[in-house]
Amino acid sequence: MYELTGKVAIITGGSRGIGKGIASIMAKQGARIVIADLLKEEAEKTAAEIESNGGKAMAIKTDICNFDEVKTMVARAKKHFGSVDILVNNAGWDRMIPFHKTDPELWNKIIDINYKGTLNCVFCAMEEMKNNNYGKIISIASDAGRVGSSGEAVYSGTKGAVIAFSKAMARELAKTKINVNVVCPGPTNTPLVKEMKDDSEFNNKVLSGMERIIPLKRMGVPEDIAYAVTFLASKEADFITGQVISVSGGLTMAG
């Protein structure tokens, strides 16, 4: 598969779900992994699993909504491993609920985690990448940000913002050999999706019915997303920037 030996990859929200899948696959390809996550114990457990399988990993408790914590995390990653080559903006959160039943407190939480958290991480990591005249930034958005999703209006907006921001940054950073791309998962079996199913009968009905309408007739798994991210992080994708890849089993096929 794609060679990442010696590269240092920061993966936000890397303790479980899609983030854990990305961390595990990248580690198998030789990357040294930094798991930046609020879930300290889960992050440490995932890092330990990677090390037990022969990889290199460390966990750093990080609130991506806090700029100073992100800046410190990036500095620690560089000090420990010597560089920062890859950033995967994976951390995210949502609550599936019709917009008319939401409130500004919920809006702010979704915006802070999904969009401002991405801004914080890109701002801090890109400075290290500029120094090396090399870097790969991959943000995990969502097909909800491409085509919308009922019950996820604010979430869809934040993921659409991540897509637009990434395209702008791809242009700004091209001269410093930093590639910026986006991966948009479709419905994927993760702990967050399970929590959303448990939250209401409406959510459970919508999410449980996905397999019937996905052309490939199954929900995604974290590894499906991880392989796409690993490709974009590799040298084989050096001429790809500003692009959005949907990994949805064919659920959405719009441009």
Side-chain angles (χ1 to χ4, degrees):
M1 221 174 76
Y2 304 107
E3 182 66 42
L4 297 178
T5 299
K7 301 300 184 185
V8 178
I10 295 173
I11 301 166
T12 68
S15 69
R16 63 178 188 169
I18 290 173
K20 181 176 181 179
I22 294 168
S24 299
I25 296 297
M26 281 192 167
K28 288 178 182 177
Q29 299 312 118
R32 293 171 287 175
I33 305 298
V34 179
I35 299 171
D37 203 307
L38 265 179
L39 304 174
K40 183 174 183 291
E41 291 184 3
E42 288 191 38
E44 290 175 344
K45 181 179 178 182
T46 296
E49 288 178 11
I50 289 171
E51 297 242 327
S52 70
N53 289 322
K56 298 292 183 182
M58 68 181 297
I60 304 176
K61 183 179 179 181
T62 310
D63 178 0
I64 62 168
C65 299
N66 186 311
F67 180 85
D68 290 336
E69 283 195 27
V70 172
K71 186 175 181 180
T72 298
M73 176 272 292
V74 171
R76 287 183 60 190
K78 181 183 179 182
K79 182 177 181 180
H80 187 81
F81 283 130
S83 67
V84 173
D85 306 298
I86 300 163
L87 168 66
V88 182
N89 291 303
N90 167 75
W93 185 81
D94 188 25
R95 186 179 175 204
M96 183 177 279
I97 182 171
F99 184 65
H100 72 276
K101 294 184 179 180
T102 64
D103 56 52
E105 182 179 358
L106 179 63
W107 307 344
N108 289 335
K109 181 174 181 179
I110 295 173
I111 292 168
D112 284 349
I113 295 172
N114 297 337
Y115 186 46
K116 291 184 180 178
T118 297
L119 301 185
N120 288 338
C121 292
V122 170
F123 188 92
C124 294
M126 73 179 186
E127 294 306 311
E128 295 298 334
M129 295 177 179
K130 283 180 179 179
N131 291 335
N132 298 328
N133 206 42
Y134 174 89
K136 303 286 182 129
I137 298 173
I138 304 109
S139 291
I140 307 301
S142 169
D143 270 355
R146 296 173 59 245
V147 300
S149 177
S150 297
E152 298 181 288
V154 181
Y155 176 79
S156 297
T158 61
K159 293 303 187 177
V162 167
I163 291 169
F165 168 71
S166 297
K167 287 178 176 290
M169 291 310 300
R171 293 183 182 278
E172 287 192 17
L173 295 175
K175 61 182 177 293
T176 54
K177 301 297 189 295
I178 298 173
N179 300 65
V180 186
N181 291 291
V182 180
V183 171
C184 288
T188 307
N189 280 316
T190 64
L192 178 59
V193 167
K194 184 181 184 305
E195 290 169 10
M196 291 168 68
K197 281 185 177 181
D198 293 342
D199 195 42
S200 73
E201 183 59 34
F202 169 77
N203 294 359
N204 186 55
K205 183 178 180 180
V206 171
L207 293 168
S208 296
M210 284 294 177
E211 289 188 3
R212 294 194 301 272
I213 61 174
I214 295 172
L216 292 182
K217 299 302 180 186
R218 68 172 176 86
M219 293 271 280
V221 295
E223 289 74 17
D224 293 321
I225 317 305
Y227 291 124
V229 172
T230 301
F231 164 66
L232 290 172
S234 72
K235 64 180 179 61
E236 285 82 357
D238 280 353
F239 201 57
I240 299 174
T241 197
Q243 302 305 307
V244 181
I245 298 178
S246 173
V247 184
S248 65
L251 178 62
T252 60
M253 299 187 187

